[in-house]
């Protein structure tokens, strides 16, 4: 195979290395398997040759391409929707889908990138074949692990807008919006990212300001097309279609019903997360994959008329969710009572003083 050089790339990498003041090395994370990267050379999608760059370390993430993820998700969907599955073969059938393996691979690469940045104080260049699938997965997950801001409700919205929507992830092609047929471009890459976030939340449940129901809500409306956030393939198409002016953003609903999506056990003081990504800790995201299974029917939405105090918010058939909402409302009520007591604690003293003045005035008139 040819070993072509690209002066523009070499200059860019050199400038990134110069901008890194605490390390003389720069790390390049190629998300593809090494074999795939070699094969992509024939298409003009090669990779960096270390001999042509100064002080770089190149590694391959071995993350599967969209076709393998599509096949894996199809096997998983068939498994969780099958009417009759022999219980003794459930775990082996789940392993055969390879979905959990793919989730683990993405998480391992994200933790590796975050560890390099945090421990070695070095910059990391992340790329794959095109830059809008596996690259978005690794960069967004790494930021989530490194910066507590992206683990807040607002920060998570910014993360998705920045690393997925603005970066040009092809939502229409990957989700097959507007067509009933599954095309070769279909692949649940963004769903895999949400699955990875859910896995991290199970590992560290107190460091996220938002709860698991936000992930389920986003995952379901990724395909519902009720909101314009995930429509079209890039920003150019969104501007041409005037999607932002003709549709509602999913974040408008989320920010109008924050109580549903906030974690009441959230602890603000928490820095970098570097979880141990072991297969024994990777679990099936049942809230998403089995949401409409007849034996596992939560969380899903009920088409019932809500009460006045909760009109417009999502309804879940999840006893735990309903109990959390009860406790949250009780907490807010107690906090409101405390605030009222705090405001009125000086009022009795004021009344006594005024009565004393009134008594003194009466005594003066009598005398």
């Amino acid at each position: 195979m040819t070993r072509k050089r690209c002066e523009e790339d070499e200059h860019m990498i050199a400038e990134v290395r110069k901008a890194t003041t605490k390390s003389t090395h720069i790390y390049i994370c190629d998300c593809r398997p090494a074999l795939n990267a070699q094969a992509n050379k024939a298409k003009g999608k090669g990779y960096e040759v270390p001999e042509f760059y100064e002080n770089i370390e190149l590694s391959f993430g071995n993350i599967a391409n969209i076709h393998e993820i599509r096949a894996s998700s199809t096997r998983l969907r068939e498994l969780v929707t099958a009417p009759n599955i022999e219980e003794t073969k459930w775990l082996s059938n789940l392993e055969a889908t390879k979905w959990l393996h793919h989730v683990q691979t993405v998480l391992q690469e994200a933790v590796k990138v975050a560890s390099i940045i945090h421990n070695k104080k070095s910059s990391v260049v992340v790329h794959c074949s095109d830059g809008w699938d596996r690259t978005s997965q690794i960069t967004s997950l790494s930021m989530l692990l490194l910066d507590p801001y992206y683990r807040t409700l607002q920060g998570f919205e910014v993360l998705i807008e920045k690393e997925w929507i603005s970066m040009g992830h092809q939502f229409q092609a990957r989700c097959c919006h507007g067509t009933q047929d599954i095309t070769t471009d279909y692949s649940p890459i963004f769903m895999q990212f949400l699955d990875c976030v859910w896995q991290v939340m199970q590992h560290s449940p107190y460091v996220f300001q938002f709860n698991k129901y936000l992930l389920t809500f986003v995952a379901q409306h990724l395909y519902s097309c009720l909101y314009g956030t995930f429509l079209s393939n890039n920003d150019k198409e969104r501007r041409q279609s005037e999607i932002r002016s003709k549709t509602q953003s999913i974040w408008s609903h989320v920010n109008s019903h924050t109580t549903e999506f906030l974690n009441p056990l959230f602890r603000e003081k928490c820095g970098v997360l570097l979880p141990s990504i072991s297969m024994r800790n990777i679990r099936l995201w049942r809230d998403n994959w089995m949401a409409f299974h007849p034996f596992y029917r939560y969380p899903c939405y009920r088409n019932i008329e809500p009460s006045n105090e909760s009109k417009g918010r999502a309804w879940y058939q999840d006893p735990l969710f309903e109990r959390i909402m009860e406790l949250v409302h009780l907490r807010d009520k107690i906090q409101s009572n405390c605030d009222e007591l705090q405001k009125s604690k000086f009022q009795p003293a004021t009344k006594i003083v005024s009565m004393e003045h009134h008594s003194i005035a009466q005594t003066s008139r009598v005398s």
Side-chain angles (χ1 to χ4, degrees):
M1 302 296 289
T2 60
R3 292 159 58 92
K4 294 182 179 179
R5 302 184 64 167
C6 179
E7 295 183 1
E8 292 80 3
D9 281 357
E10 294 177 22
H11 177 71
M12 183 195 71
I13 295 298
E15 293 301 317
V16 173
R17 189 183 66 254
K18 292 178 182 178
T20 307
T21 59
K22 296 183 178 181
S23 176
T24 58
H25 279 69
I26 186 171
Y27 293 80
I28 299 180
C29 167
D30 191 328
C31 300
R32 302 168 293 179
L35 185 61
N36 292 19
Q38 288 280 359
N40 283 346
K41 277 188 173 182
K43 302 178 182 179
K45 299 179 181 180
Y47 57 90
E48 295 79 9
V49 179
E51 290 82 358
F52 299 156
Y53 298 83
E54 182 181 354
N55 294 337
I56 73 163
E57 292 188 25
L58 173 68
S59 64
F60 294 95
N62 296 316
I63 300 175
N65 59 28
I66 62 172
H67 309 294
E68 292 185 52
I69 300 301
R70 178 178 62 248
S72 178
S73 66
T74 300
R75 292 191 295 266
L76 179 58
R77 192 181 305 107
E78 292 173 352
L79 174 64
V80 298
T81 57
N84 298 312
I85 292 293
E86 188 175 344
E87 294 294 329
T88 57
K89 295 184 178 180
W90 166 258
L91 293 178
S92 59
N93 290 336
L94 178 61
E95 181 183 6
T97 67
K98 295 186 177 181
W99 179 261
L100 299 184
H101 167 73
H102 293 313
V103 170
Q104 181 197 28
T105 303
V106 173
L107 282 171
Q108 284 178 333
E109 192 64 15
V111 171
K112 184 179 76 173
V113 170
S115 179
I116 291 173
I117 295 174
H118 178 64
N119 296 324
K120 298 184 179 181
K121 313 299 180 185
S122 177
S123 297
V124 181
V125 175
V126 182
H127 71 81
C128 56
S129 300
D130 299 300
W132 51 61
D133 290 317
R134 290 169 285 195
T135 302
S136 294
Q137 287 181 329
I138 300 305
T139 56
S140 55
L141 285 171
S142 301
M143 294 177 186
L144 189 81
L145 296 173
L146 288 168
D147 194 341
Y149 169 72
Y150 294 118
R151 300 195 288 268
T152 65
L153 182 61
Q154 181 186 29
F156 191 65
E157 297 172 8
V158 171
L159 183 68
I160 292 177
E161 288 283 343
K162 180 168 67 76
E163 295 299 315
W164 289 89
I165 298 174
S166 296
M167 281 297 294
H169 178 68
Q170 298 182 345
F171 282 101
Q172 183 171 347
R174 296 293 181 258
C175 300
C176 285
H177 290 157
T179 177
Q180 296 181 351
D181 300 324
I182 300 298
T183 65
T184 56
D185 290 329
Y186 168 78
S187 189
I189 299 299
F190 185 74
M191 183 72 73
Q192 187 184 27
F193 159 73
L194 295 177
D195 200 326
C196 291
V197 176
W198 183 85
Q199 302 291 342
V200 179
M201 291 180 69
Q202 305 311 299
H203 182 275
S204 304
Y206 306 117
V207 302
F208 288 85
Q209 188 189 33
F210 55 89
N211 56 32
K212 65 178 183 178
Y213 302 105
L214 175 67
L215 300 180
T216 307
F217 182 80
V218 172
Q220 291 181 347
H221 287 293
L222 173 65
Y223 295 98
S224 71
C225 297
L226 292 178
Y227 302 96
T229 307
F230 303 119
L231 298 181
S232 298
N233 289 321
N234 50 60
D235 196 55
K236 178 182 178 181
E237 293 182 4
R238 294 185 188 94
R239 290 197 304 269
Q240 291 176 344
S241 303
E242 300 180 356
I243 285 180
R244 288 184 174 87
S245 60
K246 294 180 178 179
T247 64
Q248 183 181 8
S249 170
I250 190 174
W251 312 127
S252 298
H253 177 90
V254 171
N255 295 330
S256 300
H257 305 84
T258 55
T259 304
E260 298 179 38
F261 304 112
L262 291 179
N263 177 13
L265 304 178
F266 171 58
R267 299 175 184 173
E268 294 187 22
K269 295 182 179 180
C270 184
V272 177
L273 289 181
L274 295 175
S276 174
I277 307 301
S278 172
M279 182 55 73
R280 60 175 59 92
N281 296 327
I282 305 296
R283 295 185 289 171
L284 177 65
W285 184 16
R286 296 193 300 169
D287 291 356
N288 176 62
W289 291 105
M290 302 182 69
F292 301 100
H293 194 279
F295 299 105
Y296 189 84
R297 291 298 300 270
Y298 82 91
C300 62
Y301 303 101
R302 293 185 283 187
N303 294 322
I304 62 176
E305 185 67 22
S307 61
N308 291 331
E309 64 178 2
S310 57
K311 203 162 210 174
R313 73 177 179 86
W315 285 73
Y316 296 92
Q317 291 182 344
D318 181 359
L320 178 60
F321 175 80
E322 295 176 358
R323 181 55 179 162
I324 289 176
M325 288 297 100
E326 292 176 3
L327 294 176
V328 168
H329 290 311
L330 181 60
R331 181 199 63 186
D332 294 341
K333 185 177 180 180
I334 294 174
Q335 184 63 47
S336 177
N337 293 337
C338 291
D339 293 340
E340 291 180 2
L341 290 174
Q342 187 72 18
K343 292 178 181 178
S344 62
K345 70 177 183 178
F346 295 110
Q347 290 181 1
T350 304
K351 291 180 180 179
I352 293 173
V353 171
S354 62
M355 290 179 66
E356 289 178 352
H357 285 296
H358 181 67
S359 300
I360 293 172
Q362 285 183 345
T363 305
S364 300
R365 286 196 296 269
V366 171
S367 60

